[in-house]
Amino acid sequence: MDIRRLADFAAKVNIAFPTAEEYGGLSGFYDWGIRGSQLKKNVKDVWWRYFVERKDFVVGLDGSIVTHPRVWEASGHVEEFHDPITRCRSCGRTFRADHLIEDLTGKSVEGASLEEINKILSDLRCPACGGELEPATYFNLMFETRVGPYGGITSYLRPETAQLIFADFPRLYIGNRKRIPFAVAQMGKAYRNEISPRNFLFRLREFEQMEIEFFFDPEDDACPFYDDVKDYEVLTLTVEDQENGRDGEVRRVSEVVGDYPGREWMVYWVVESLRFLELVGVDMGRVRIRQQLPDERAHYSMDTWDVEFRFDDLGWKEIEGVAHRSDYDLSRHAKYSGNDKYRIKREDGTEFVPWVIEPSFGVERVILSILYSSYREDEKRVWLSFKPWVAPVQVAVFPLVSKDGLPEKATKIRDLLRRFFRVEYDEKGSIGKRYRRQDEVGTPYAVTVDYQTLEDNTVTVRERDSMAQERVGVDDLVDYLLERMSW
Ligand code: GAP
């Protein structure tokens, strides 16, 4: 499967399509149709239920998108959040310099200095016109905006959801009456003025994140759930593997995560992340965890493990990062805000700044991996094998024909099922065509009302993947479906 075909299919079935196509689109921005917006909502709902509602020590936040400029000075984004950019002296096209080098030479320059990048660039030419390339400079990825009239003040659209959790830490800690360790979760839009957005939903300028900031005491860092995660195995690629040119191997997460304060929690968050991805339908046969090389780590990170997905055409790509951020964030906000509310008093009277572990998912990248994992085709049909809890429509209801009282009976059943599930009613076209239309958008069950229904109050339930059909009594239908749709 290649990513372009998937993008065309997603546009056709109303999942996502380039924004303002009639005006030529705007690179890095997508609009979501009814199937896609529902799918996105469902994935976010499962994440919220899995990580917030089902864990006593996690609370939530919905922070603002336009944010105080000092927040981004404190976080290091004003100074550090940039990528190298170059321009062709002849045709004026701009390129992200490290990606251009990778595309033209096949070699990664992750973590290379501007000087090293420029040395390589001087031997390369513009891939569009063959012109000479300007030396690369750094380009800050934050979108600036002005707040207020008469010029107002310069502010930024948040480039990540995380930072508000750090900035608001004093209120979140006291307001939620929590003790360390505890975590704050937030999901929502983030904006990055990417130099070269590409690969459908993979690199966008407007996207969503689902992030958790977990706060702990480095001197009291045992994880009470460690037994439940310590034996979890997955394909792993350590720094050492990469330095020795090895492919990595299946190992326990607990074997590869480093020996530092918060180690057990780091294992916990990596494993919980992998379990979540499996739950929403990501093919775990295409997943590995890769430790970032020291040179590629973000300025705040002490250690980062990326969860990567293998695309046939793009290779291994990051869909989530689990970063160990030590006390970087809260120490910076303590310094920049000039107050000591970011420090916590232990029972013995000593004080400390909490350390942080951060599992950070991009919603669109999770969805891209789900689409990639779910897409199926054979000679008869194309279908999306979505898990029932993320499927935009969970049950389709059809009257076999639109006469003889079948639509009336079918709409009654539709209304009953709507109290529990996302239901779509359809009476247009042959029954075969109606099944195909629902298969294409991943609806796991279709309920057909026929003449027998009027006699014995049973319906046919068809399962999407196997296409197997079963006769079920209307009185048992809700239980029958609930059993198959709960996680
Ligand atoms: N708070 C940490 C942070 O933002 P990041 O690695 O820059 O870390 C986290 O981003 C996740 O956000 C990534 O793993 C990816 O899934 C998603 N993401 C980042 N940039 C993106 C982009 N331009 N388009 C789509 N998703 C993106």
Side-chain angles (χ1 to χ4, degrees):
M1 161 65 79
D2 80 67
I3 209 93
R4 271 274 39 100
R5 261 185 70 213
L6 192 64
D8 291 345
F9 175 76
K12 180 184 152 233
V13 299
N14 238 324
I15 290 178
F17 35 85
T19 189
E21 277 177 297
E22 301 311 318
Y23 294 92
L26 191 58
S27 191
F29 297 89
Y30 273 80
D31 291 341
W32 293 77
I34 178 62
R35 307 303 187 193
S37 43
Q38 186 69 56
L39 173 65
K40 191 143 72 123
K41 178 179 178 302
N42 300 341
V43 169
K44 285 162 47 185
D45 282 352
V46 173
W47 180 83
W48 191 261
R49 276 175 69 194
Y50 192 85
F51 286 107
V52 182
E53 293 175 8
R54 295 193 176 191
K55 296 189 194 299
D56 290 330
F57 64 101
V58 184
V59 296
L61 174 71
D62 186 6
S64 73
I65 287 173
V66 177
T67 30
H68 198 294
R70 288 285 284 170
V71 168
W72 305 105
E73 286 168 30
S75 70
H77 281 74
V78 170
E79 209 179 317
E80 308 261 7
F81 196 58
H82 48 220
D83 282 329
I85 188 169
T86 181
R87 189 165 43 188
C88 172
R89 289 194 202 276
S90 303
C91 68
R93 280 194 175 79
T94 52
F95 303 94
R96 187 168 148 179
D98 52 341
H99 285 175
L100 184 68
I101 292 172
E102 274 166 39
D103 290 348
L104 296 181
T105 68
K107 286 198 194 107
S108 167
V109 283
E110 192 83 62
S113 69
L114 214 49
E115 207 184 350
E116 289 162 328
I117 285 176
N118 281 329
K119 201 153 169 265
I120 305 173
L121 269 188
S122 62
D123 292 331
L124 301 177
R125 286 280 176 277
C126 169
C129 76
E132 204 182 308
L133 296 163
E134 286 177 3
T137 52
Y138 279 130
F139 173 75
N140 193 292
L141 301 186
M142 285 197 293
F143 277 102
E144 271 183 28
T145 187
R146 310 285 302 172
V147 177
Y150 297 115
I153 58 158
T154 300
S155 180
Y156 301 99
L157 302 191
R158 64 185 185 198
E160 59 169 15
T161 57
Q163 214 48 234
L164 266 295
I165 298 175
F166 300 133
D168 291 350
F169 176 82
R171 183 171 286 282
L172 293 169
Y173 182 66
I174 295 161
N176 287 298
R177 296 155 50 83
K178 289 288 173 201
R179 290 249 151 271
I180 297 280
F182 91 116
V184 183
Q186 181 174 203
M187 57 190 181
K189 294 272 188 187
Y191 296 83
R192 295 183 188 180
N193 201 0
E194 295 283 357
I195 298 165
S196 47
R198 54 181 170 177
N199 296 329
F200 183 32
L201 301 176
F202 187 78
R203 192 170 302 283
L204 299 167
R205 287 177 167 143
E206 174 176 304
F207 57 99
E208 292 197 53
Q209 291 184 315
M210 304 182 288
E211 298 197 293
I212 295 171
E213 308 307 322
F214 168 73
F215 300 97
F216 68 99
D217 179 347
E219 290 183 14
D220 182 10
D221 64 343
C223 169
F225 317 110
Y226 188 63
D227 273 353
D228 177 44
V229 292
K230 69 179 182 357
D231 295 322
Y232 189 100
E233 289 186 343
V234 67
L235 181 59
T236 57
L237 190 69
T238 60
V239 164
E240 210 190 330
D241 289 333
Q242 293 166 79
E243 285 170 351
N244 292 307
R246 293 194 298 253
D247 279 345
E249 55 185 275
V250 174
R251 303 172 178 113
R252 278 179 288 167
V253 176
S254 57
E255 263 176 73
V256 293
V257 165
D259 191 14
Y260 36 59
R263 192 191 88 80
E264 291 186 2
W265 281 108
M266 193 72 182
V267 175
Y268 173 80
W269 288 111
V270 170
V271 172
E272 281 294 85
S273 298
L274 294 167
R275 286 179 175 156
F276 164 74
L277 289 171
E278 187 166 8
L279 175 66
V280 291
V282 172
D283 175 358
M284 297 310 279
R286 287 180 177 270
V287 167
R288 75 175 181 192
I289 58 168
R290 185 182 70 84
Q291 188 175 24
Q292 285 192 3
L293 297 167
D295 281 349
E296 69 180 292
R297 288 201 299 258
H299 55 277
Y300 48 73
S301 160
M302 199 173 105
D303 186 24
T304 294
W305 283 84
D306 284 344
V307 177
E308 296 185 330
F309 184 83
R310 185 171 46 78
F311 295 91
D312 291 339
D313 50 342
L314 309 178
W316 289 103
K317 290 281 176 196
E318 171 195 341
I319 50 178
E320 186 216 0
V322 184
H324 193 310
R325 302 177 68 123
S326 69
D327 66 348
Y328 175 86
D329 307 283
L330 296 191
S331 297
R332 294 275 293 197
H333 284 292
K335 183 170 158 206
Y336 278 71
S337 68
N339 81 50
D340 60 3
K341 292 186 199 156
Y342 294 88
R343 300 181 71 77
I344 303 280
K345 207 185 258 298
R346 293 192 182 97
E347 270 172 21
D348 66 6
T350 57
E351 286 190 344
F352 72 104
V353 173
W355 284 33
V356 170
I357 292 171
E358 171 195 65
S360 169
F361 291 94
V363 177
E364 287 79 358
R365 290 191 190 177
V366 173
I367 287 184
L368 190 58
S369 319
I370 294 174
L371 287 174
Y372 214 87
S373 305
S374 315
Y375 184 89
R376 309 265 186 284
E377 60 184 11
D378 62 20
E379 51 301 332
K380 286 213 197 90
R381 61 183 186 139
V382 171
W383 77 103
L384 291 170
S385 179
F386 286 148
K387 298 281 185 200
W389 33 93
V390 304
V393 178
Q394 293 175 300
V395 195
V397 178
F398 310 141
L400 184 63
V401 290
S402 51
K403 57 181 184 182
D404 300 336
L406 297 189
E408 288 74 7
K409 180 71 179 170
T411 48
K412 270 202 184 129
I413 293 173
R414 174 200 64 190
D415 293 344
L416 165 74
L417 295 181
R418 272 203 176 140
R419 293 166 58 195
F420 304 90
F421 312 107
R422 295 181 291 278
V423 181
E424 195 161 279
Y425 177 80
D426 188 3
E427 56 177 51
K428 289 192 208 85
S430 73
I431 196 81
K433 278 209 180 110
R434 283 181 265 167
Y435 281 143
R436 300 287 171 274
R437 277 203 292 269
Q438 294 297 332
D439 288 345
E440 268 197 341
V441 295
T443 307
Y445 295 99
V447 168
T448 302
V449 173
D450 54 20
Y451 289 104
Q452 193 184 328
T453 313
L454 301 182
E455 284 165 23
D456 64 4
N457 207 30
T458 63
V459 289
T460 301
V461 180
R462 173 201 184 255
E463 195 275 331
R464 173 200 59 211
D465 293 352
S466 63
M467 296 196 285
Q469 303 199 0
E470 213 178 324
R471 207 75 205 171
V472 179
V474 172
D475 294 340
D476 301 326
L477 193 54
V478 168
D479 284 345
Y480 176 95
L481 291 168
L482 271 180
E483 200 179 303
R484 287 160 177 76
M485 302 234 199
S486 313
W487 54 274

